[in-house]
Amino acid sequence: MTLRIDISGLPSEQLRFAASPLAELTAMLHVLAEPGHHPQLADWAGDVWVGLRPESAERLREADFLWRSSQADFLLPARPRPTLAEELDDVDRIDDETYVTAALVTTCGSNRVHFGAPSPLTDATARGRALDLAQARGARQEAFAERLLADPAAVRARLRHTLEQCAETFFDAAWASVTVRLATDLRLKNDLLKRQGLGAALASVSGAVSLAPDGDCIVVDKLQDKATSAQGTGVTFIPSVYGRPHLVAVHAPGWQPVVQYPVAEPGPSEPVSLETVTLRLEALDHPVRLRLLRTLARGPHTTRELAHAWELSPPEVSRHLAVLRRAGLLTTRRHGRYVRYTLNAPDLTALGADLLAAVLR
C-alpha cells in the first residue's frame, strides 16, 4: 500500500525542501489532541494545556477535527513562508468552497466529501449529506460543520484568531527552540538534492519514502492506495520536529502535493516497511509456525529436530521455516552438514511497535 506522486518531467526547481511555521504549529496541535501518539512529548503537552486560558482551550477543542486524525490540507502550505502570519494570509486567500471542502473532509472523518462534487455551500443535497456525515461522527462535529456551512467567513476568522492565540501562548517559544534543527535538516536535504539527486534526498527523508526505479514517481510507504500528480505544481517537503512519528501527505485533487516528514533523532532506526510488517504478520498467522517459533525461542534447532519435536515431516517443517525466514524472523547458521535455525528475537519483539509505526505513518 503506497501513495504515489507522479513527477515525470518535473523541473528540479519544483522539488523543494522548506520549513513551515504553520505546518509545525499544526503538528503541535495534533500532539495536544492525540498525546498518546507522542509519548515523548507528553510532558510538553501537559504543560501547554495547563497554561492555556479556558477560552483558548475550548477553541482548540471545538476545531480539533482539523488536525486530530488527519490535517486539513490548507494547514500544510505548498509554498512555506518565513512567518506564521504570512502563511495565515495565504490561507485567507483560499476561496470558501476549497477551504470548506478541505475542512469537511477532516471534520466528517471521511474522504467521501469529494473535490469537484457539488458544493455544500450552494447545493442543498451536498449540504445535507455533509451534515449527515458530521452528525455520525458526533455532536461537536455536527455543530462545527453547521457553523462552517452557515457562515464560513466567521469560522475562518475565528480559526485564524485561535491560531494566533496559540502563537502567543506556546507556539512562538516552541518554534524558536526547533528552528536550528529544522535549518540543519534542510541544509542536508538541499545539499543532497543538489549534489546527489532526488533519490538520495528522499532516502534521507525516511526509509518510507523513495524514488521509483524509472525516476518518474515518488513512492510513500503509507497504509493507503492513492496516487496524485505534481505536474504543473511541484512537490514540497516540510521537516517537522513535533510531527514524529507521522509522515503526513497532501494528495487530494486540486492541491499541490506536500509531504511533512519527521526530522531524524540522533542515531535513529530506519522505519520498517509496511510490506515487511505485513509479511511478518502473515507468517505468524499459522499455528504450526507459532509452535516452531516456541521451540526456536529456546535455542537453535535443525529441521529434523523441529520435525521430531512436533511430530511433523521434515518437508512440512522446511516449508514453514522458509516462510518465517522470508519474513526475516529467523536466521540460519551452518554447522558441518547441518543448518541450524535461530529466532530473530529483536525483530519479533519490535513487531508490535513496527505495526503501530506503520499505521501511524
Side-chain angles (χ1 to χ4, degrees), residues 117-150:
S119 170
L121 291 175
T122 57
D123 185 90
T125 301
R127 177 189 180 90
R129 186 165 174 271
L131 290 174
D132 286 344
L133 289 171
Q135 183 183 47
R137 298 289 294 174
R140 291 174 61 239
Q141 286 91 330
E142 181 184 17
F144 181 81
E146 286 179 343
R147 293 195 302 273
L148 181 65
L149 291 170

Side-chain angles (χ1 to χ4, degrees), residues 37-345:
H37 291 183
H38 309 268
Q40 76 279 12
L41 294 171
D43 291 342
W44 174 85
D47 290 342
V48 170
W49 280 118
V50 168
L52 287 175
R53 295 190 299 270
E55 178 195 2
S56 297
E58 180 52 34
R59 282 188 171 216
L60 289 183
R61 294 188 182 98
E62 75 179 22
D64 73 354
F65 326 113
L66 300 178
W67 49 73
R68 176 182 288 275
S69 299
S70 59
Q71 286 79 0
D73 290 335
F74 54 78
L75 294 175
L76 295 171
R79 284 173 167 72
R81 308 289 189 183
T83 68
L84 179 63
E86 291 174 285
E87 292 187 326
L88 292 176
D89 288 343
D90 286 344
V91 173
D92 287 344
R93 296 185 185 100
I94 299 172
D95 64 86
D96 280 348
E97 184 173 328
T98 302
Y99 185 103
V100 167
T101 299
L104 286 176
V105 167
T106 55
T107 303
C108 296
S110 169
N111 60 6
R112 290 175 289 172
V113 182
H114 294 295
F115 175 84
S119 170
L121 291 175
T122 57
D123 185 90
T125 301
R127 177 189 180 90
R129 186 165 174 271
L131 290 174
D132 286 344
L133 289 171
Q135 183 183 47
R137 298 289 294 174
R140 291 174 61 239
Q141 286 91 330
E142 181 184 17
F144 181 81
E146 286 179 343
R147 293 195 302 273
L148 181 65
L149 291 170
D151 192 349
V155 172
R156 294 178 66 162
R158 182 175 176 85
L159 177 61
R160 172 164 184 156
H161 187 234
T162 299
L163 297 179
E164 289 170 338
Q165 286 182 327
C166 291
E168 297 172 5
T169 307
F170 65 87
F171 172 72
D172 287 347
W175 177 249
S177 72
V178 301
T179 50
V180 172
R181 287 186 62 189
L182 296 176
T184 301
D185 180 84
L186 289 172
R187 281 195 297 272
L188 169 65
K189 301 297 188 292
N190 284 305
D191 185 65
L192 285 171
L193 183 63
K194 179 181 177 180
R195 297 178 182 277
Q196 299 184 37
L198 181 59
L202 294 179
S204 72
V205 165
S206 168
V209 182
S210 62
L211 186 64
D214 60 9
D216 286 344
C217 185
I218 296 171
V219 181
V220 184
D221 186 37
K222 286 178 68 70
L223 197 61
Q224 55 188 213
D225 284 311
K226 300 287 185 181
T228 189
S229 175
Q231 300 303 319
T233 59
V235 186
T236 300
F237 294 89
I238 301 175
S240 174
V241 172
Y242 282 80
R244 174 172 296 278
H246 303 302
L247 192 64
V248 182
V250 173
H251 56 78
W255 293 89
Q256 176 178 324
V258 177
V259 177
Q260 184 186 42
Y261 63 91
V263 173
E265 298 284 359
S269 58
E270 280 297 308
V272 175
S273 72
L274 180 59
E275 179 183 5
T276 298
V277 172
T278 302
L279 194 65
R280 288 174 179 173
L281 291 174
E282 291 173 347
L284 296 175
D285 188 25
H286 197 289
V288 170
R289 292 196 280 273
L290 291 176
R291 293 187 186 108
L292 296 177
L293 288 177
R294 175 180 172 84
T295 301
L296 291 169
R298 292 169 168 80
H301 287 72
T302 65
T303 300
R304 189 167 296 279
E305 288 170 338
L306 291 168
H308 177 74
W310 291 104
E311 298 182 350
L312 299 167
S313 69
E316 182 179 3
V317 171
S318 292
R319 287 194 297 272
H320 287 298
L321 292 176
V323 173
L324 292 167
R325 189 178 179 188
R326 280 197 300 272
L329 296 175
L330 299 180
T331 59
T332 60
R333 177 172 293 181
R334 179 172 290 279
H335 295 268
R337 293 188 298 118
Y338 301 100
V339 174
R340 292 189 179 275
Y341 291 84
T342 302
L343 176 67
N344 183 353

